[in-house]
Amino acid sequence: MTRPSLKVEDLRVSIEGKEILKGFGIEVKGGEIHAIMGPNGTGKSTLASALMGHPKFEVTEGKASIDGEDLFEMEVDERARAGLFLAMQYPSEISGVTNADFIRSAINANREEGDEISLMKFIRKMDEKMGTLEMDDSFQHRYLNEGFSGGEKKRNEILQLMMLQPRIAILDEIDSGLDIDALKVVSKGINEMRSDDFGCLIITHYQRLLNYIKPDFVHVMMQGRIVKSGGPELAERLEAEGYDWIKEELGIEDETVGQE
Amino acid sequence: MTAETKFPVNQNEITSFSKDREEPQWLTDLRVSSLEKAEVLELPKPDKTNISKWDFSTKNFEANVQDDMSEAVKGLIGEADKAQMLMAQKNGVTLFQKLSPELEEKGVIFTDIQTAVKEHSDLVQKYFMQEAVTPDENKLTAEHAALLNGGTFIYVPKNVEVEIPIQAVYTQAGNFGLYNHVLVVAEANSSVTYIENYISEDAAEGAIANIVAEVYAADNATVHFGAVDNLAKEVTTYVNRRGQVTGKDAKVYWALGQMNYGDTVSENTTYLVGEGSYADTKTVAIGRGKQTQNFTTNVVHFGKHSDGQILKHGVMKDEATSIFNGTSKIEHGATKSNGEQTERVLMLSEKARGDANPILLIDEDDVTAGHAASVGKIDPLQMFYLMSRGISKKEAERLIIHGFLAPVVNEIPIESVKDQLIEVIERKVL
């Protein structure tokens, strides 16, 4: 199989008539980890949600493809089956559906009928991944995200990532609300995924996470598009100096969307 | 006002029906007096559903049943030989019954109502439509007493704990009018789990089911009552399940899966009379097609420190209409009581109608009570979340609906019945 690829070109996205993304482009390939950084309100989460097909966001222009297939021609579940994964900032709680049942349904949805994962294999895999993420066994049988703390929800997102092994993952502020120990554990899980068959787009506004997950590329987002790209050293400079120098360099007064 | 409908069955027919069944005189008398009441009493008036045009009358209440068990019944009971406690009836006629000998030795009674009134006449008479449900409440309870033609009597003596669940399967066939009565008496410090299935076979227009269940719980008794109603769309159903929790610290747990396909009016009332008595009532219901249903759940508190919990979840699709009424009533003197209720309705189509009406009626200061109700559609963000993992739209809906109904489904105490309820839900909702 060829290396995974997520390609986004000149993407424009609106919510309730207000344009948030204004010509966004990126290419993420297997084996690469990209970090998108930027202050609040610059469109980072909108990018993640729009690519996955969140019902509230309207794509008005531009293209996005996974392995050459047009994402915007696909339903949400088809995007997932094509290999796209979104670790959400605010995952839904679903009462009455256990975590294990949900994850097993998801794995089987990505497999052919008649080729469902065996229960034994599933349990072994689940135990292993939950071990890596230092999650208590009880999380298998708890209802999906119901009553989970913020940190537990994040771990559960990464658990799904590890169980489903997508080709391309977008992690939307997976580090927010995590203490340092949890951050290390979650990073360990993500680092385990690293391979040529896996590409990753990490959305964050703290450099902190990038101490544990070394990105190959760092992009800064302002006003709904990427305004600066570089290597890991860019993240370090942002941590040390903040965003003001970029704004100055580019003559941006207010970095948030709709303020240009 | 609807036309005064002359009751289609007369006194002579009732009397000879009773004689044929070799019933004790008290029951014959009760039938006759109830018949008179049936002619003058009005239909029950469930809140927000007008049933005045519903036809509950039938001439067809005398069964003519071949002694055979359908595949559907066999599926529900598994291998009958292996069952320890089982009752199977078709149009009120017993096809199979079995009580474990050990329990029989301990004085447990588990028999069809026809046998019970002969062999345990005094005991049945003491409870049968005396307190929990009485013939003079409305036209349908009166008809029920007059035309009683099926059901089961369960009696658990003092200090006996029946550990194996008792299962009963009632089949309604053709255009028969089934007047099924289940009487459960749990004496002090006893416990029992009873679970019933109602199913249809070759149902025909005009079929009715008039079902009454009475549960009596004495001091410190515990009764688990589970039900899966799965009657066909041709069947018009009145079902009234009541608990008379007279004992101190007595407990009744209801888990009702109300999956009928026809028009249904259901009442489930628990009277918490004993001090510290407890009622937990969980209901799931699904509406589809054009059926109209009304589900009323009441818990009435008389005893101090009594606690009543009502949980109802309903799913409506197509053009189905359902009303979910819930009343927690705390009478004066029932100090330190607690009444909680939750009613939630999930709408799957624009044309479906659902309404949840939680009511608290409190006539005592020193109590706690609460209610919650919601009527809504499937949350699009939940759908997005599930689908973002590759799960199809249909499967995502299925998961959400199952999850929505799980709090009640998981309470069904017999695995095979629980699985069957899940299957019934699948078939009805998808």
Side-chain angles (χ1 to χ4, degrees):
Chain A
M1 214 170 195
T2 52
R3 275 168 66 181
S5 137
L6 171 72
K7 199 170 177 186
V8 182
E9 293 167 86
D10 193 31
L11 183 62
R12 287 173 183 269
V13 174
S14 298
I15 178 164
E16 286 157 7
K18 187 179 180 224
E19 189 168 72
I20 308 285
L21 290 190
K22 303 172 180 236
F24 180 96
I26 198 168
E27 185 167 9
V28 179
K29 292 201 188 104
E32 296 175 356
I33 291 188
H34 292 246
I36 294 188
M37 303 186 67
N40 277 328
T42 53
K44 300 190 302 297
S45 287
T46 297
L47 169 71
S49 298
L51 290 177
M52 198 71 240
H54 189 294
K56 269 199 166 163
F57 295 90
E58 193 198 344
V59 174
T60 52
E61 252 185 85
K63 285 195 275 191
S65 62
I66 182 160
D67 299 336
E69 285 184 72
D70 188 349
L71 269 186
F72 300 140
E73 286 294 308
M74 299 182 209
E75 295 296 328
V76 175
D77 56 322
E78 293 169 329
R79 297 180 197 196
R81 292 199 297 273
L84 186 64
F85 181 92
L86 170 60
M88 298 194 194
Q89 195 178 351
Y90 304 109
S92 290
E93 300 187 3
I94 298 172
S95 188
V97 178
T98 66
N99 217 9
D101 281 349
F102 160 64
I103 294 177
R104 202 163 151 223
S105 295
I107 289 176
N108 286 332
N110 287 286
R111 296 166 74 112
E112 294 297 316
E113 215 177 311
D115 184 35
E116 286 86 3
I117 189 167
S118 77
L119 188 58
M120 276 315 296
K121 214 172 155 188
F122 172 74
I123 291 171
R124 265 203 309 275
K125 190 168 176 180
M126 188 93 162
D127 283 347
E128 185 204 319
K129 305 301 181 196
M130 285 178 76
T132 304
L133 294 171
E134 296 173 23
M135 289 173 81
D136 190 87
D137 232 24
S138 64
F139 281 93
Q140 294 205 27
H141 308 292
R142 283 178 61 181
Y143 290 154
L144 181 52
N145 294 323
E146 194 180 64
F148 286 25
S149 71
E152 287 163 352
K153 284 182 182 165
K154 296 295 163 77
R155 274 185 215 226
N156 205 39
E157 291 295 286
I158 300 307
L159 175 66
Q160 293 168 44
L161 169 74
M162 297 178 82
M163 292 296 288
L164 291 171
Q165 294 176 300
R167 291 169 64 76
I168 297 283
I170 303 169
L171 312 182
D172 188 8
E173 304 214 2
I174 201 71
D175 50 339
S176 67
L178 290 186
D179 62 30
I180 196 76
D181 292 330
L183 190 68
K184 283 182 188 168
V185 167
V186 162
S187 304
K188 187 169 72 176
I190 296 162
N191 284 326
E192 253 187 36
M193 295 286 297
R194 281 194 116 135
S195 83
D196 283 350
D197 298 324
F198 177 67
C200 190
L201 183 60
I202 296 174
I203 290 171
T204 177
H205 41 226
Y206 303 109
Q207 197 263 342
R208 199 175 65 143
L209 177 68
L210 307 179
N211 291 335
Y212 302 99
I213 308 170
K214 206 86 198 134
D216 302 295
F217 304 93
V218 175
H219 312 275
V220 177
M221 221 172 141
M222 286 184 184
Q223 296 176 337
R225 64 175 80 88
I226 288 174
V227 294
K228 194 166 186 68
S229 297
E233 74 290 343
L234 177 57
E236 279 156 32
R237 186 167 174 200
L238 290 172
E239 179 73 359
E241 299 177 31
Y243 290 99
D244 286 349
W245 63 277
I246 297 184
K247 284 158 70 176
E248 228 162 86
E249 206 177 279
L250 299 171
I252 294 170
E253 298 235 321
D254 186 336
E255 70 281 9
T256 57
V257 172
Q259 304 298 331
E260 62 265 51
Chain B
M1 187 67 207
T2 50
E4 193 65 34
T5 42
K6 184 73 183 149
F7 205 64
V9 181
N10 66 36
Q11 191 178 320
N12 289 340
E13 288 171 276
I14 290 285
T15 312
S16 74
F17 179 67
S18 183
K19 289 278 171 288
D20 289 349
R21 291 163 70 98
E22 300 163 32
E23 288 175 350
Q25 191 58 43
W26 68 263
L27 184 53
T28 313
D29 294 346
L30 182 69
R31 285 180 183 278
V32 170
S33 66
S34 298
L35 184 66
E36 286 164 8
K37 287 171 188 157
E39 284 174 357
V40 294
L41 287 171
E42 292 189 22
L43 286 170
K45 292 191 175 62
D47 207 17
K48 303 204 175 190
T49 304
N50 181 358
I51 65 166
S52 62
K53 299 261 163 58
W54 294 20
D55 189 2
F56 287 99
S57 63
T58 180
K59 281 177 80 72
N60 196 5
F61 70 102
E62 289 188 69
N64 175 17
V65 168
Q66 300 300 314
D67 190 8
D68 66 334
M69 253 192 264
S70 67
E71 289 308 310
V73 174
K74 286 178 188 157
L76 282 171
I77 61 182
E79 288 173 62
D81 303 346
K82 287 190 184 156
Q84 304 202 44
M85 311 271 268
L86 177 65
M87 170 73 67
Q89 296 180 8
K90 181 172 172 179
N91 285 355
V93 176
T94 300
L95 305 178
F96 184 92
Q97 68 172 311
K98 189 172 178 183
L99 168 67
S100 84
E102 301 91 77
L103 288 169
E104 204 169 355
E105 251 165 58
K106 288 181 183 168
V108 174
I109 300 167
F110 172 46
T111 184
D112 62 59
I113 203 96
Q114 188 175 355
T115 310
V117 295
K118 284 182 282 185
E119 293 181 3
H120 310 281
S121 174
D122 291 350
L123 201 49
V124 176
Q125 188 184 9
K126 186 176 165 192
Y127 296 99
F128 182 80
M129 300 196 83
Q130 290 299 314
E131 250 184 309
V133 181
T134 59
D136 51 14
E137 285 181 37
N138 62 55
K139 192 180 187 69
L140 298 179
T141 58
E143 284 180 16
H144 181 89
L147 300 181
L148 167 76
N149 60 10
T152 300
F153 177 55
I154 295 168
Y155 178 81
V156 187
K158 224 181 241 183
N159 302 325
V160 174
E161 295 188 4
V162 182
E163 272 154 22
I164 305 149
I166 294 177
Q167 188 183 0
V169 180
Y170 305 106
T171 306
Q172 178 282 327
N175 65 351
F176 192 68
L178 179 62
Y179 295 80
N180 209 61
H181 196 99
V182 174
L183 179 57
V184 180
V185 178
E187 296 284 18
N189 303 315
S190 70
S191 71
V192 63
T193 294
Y194 164 78
I195 183 138
E196 61 185 15
N197 291 83
Y198 284 91
I199 58 173
S200 289
E201 237 176 74
D202 307 319
E205 288 304 327
I208 72 152
N210 179 327
I211 298 162
V212 173
E214 297 180 273
V215 173
Y216 292 87
D219 285 356
N220 205 33
T222 301
V223 178
H224 286 264
F225 191 114
V228 179
D229 301 348
N230 190 18
L231 294 165
K233 74 173 195 306
E234 293 82 0
V235 187
T236 302
T237 301
Y238 171 71
V239 53
N240 190 347
R241 295 183 173 103
R242 296 225 187 122
Q244 189 74 25
V245 190
T246 44
K248 187 172 183 295
D249 297 324
K251 297 177 179 68
V252 174
Y253 297 83
W254 306 95
L256 310 178
Q258 305 204 272
M259 303 291 146
N260 287 347
Y261 283 73
D263 291 346
T264 297
V265 52
S266 166
E267 185 194 315
N268 171 217
T269 298
T270 312
Y271 299 104
L272 295 177
V273 180
E275 188 179 335
S277 57
Y278 180 80
D280 179 280
T281 143
K282 294 192 167 81
T283 309
V284 286
I286 294 177
R288 72 173 294 169
K290 292 187 173 180
Q291 72 179 142
T292 299
Q293 300 184 92
N294 183 295
F295 303 100
T296 298
T297 308
N298 307 305
V299 175
V300 188
H301 299 249
F302 297 96
K304 291 182 171 62
H305 296 276
S306 57
D307 188 351
Q309 304 287 328
I310 299 174
L311 177 69
K312 293 161 88 169
H313 282 195
V315 177
M316 293 302 120
K317 63 180 289 186
D318 304 334
E319 295 169 49
T321 301
S322 288
I323 304 292
F324 294 84
N325 296 316
T327 305
S328 300
K329 186 162 193 268
I330 302 183
E331 302 287 350
H332 185 66
T335 52
K336 311 281 185 200
S337 287
N338 179 44
E340 302 284 343
Q341 55 172 307
T342 302
E343 273 112 41
R344 301 206 184 282
V345 186
L346 190 59
M347 312 292 287
L348 298 184
S349 103
E350 297 292 334
K351 288 184 178 167
R353 292 279 171 272
D355 201 358
N357 307 301
I359 299 168
L360 298 174
L361 298 171
I362 298 175
D363 196 15
E364 173 58 55
D365 294 330
D366 187 12
V367 300
T368 52
H371 67 77
S374 66
V375 177
K377 293 176 187 167
I378 287 184
D379 178 357
L381 291 184
Q382 289 188 335
M383 288 297 288
F384 171 63
Y385 187 61
L386 293 175
M387 288 173 72
S388 79
R389 302 306 185 234
I391 294 170
S392 68
K393 186 168 181 227
K394 198 174 162 188
E395 177 68 9
E397 271 187 6
R398 200 185 69 88
L399 281 173
I400 290 170
I401 292 164
H402 275 290
F404 179 75
L405 299 176
V408 181
V409 175
N410 291 345
E411 291 300 308
I412 299 284
I414 301 178
E415 276 309 306
S416 62
V417 179
K418 187 199 284 187
D419 292 346
Q420 185 249 351
L421 175 58
I422 291 169
E423 218 184 291
V424 172
I425 290 171
E426 298 260 307
R427 220 175 308 141
K428 194 162 183 195
V429 91
L430 300 170

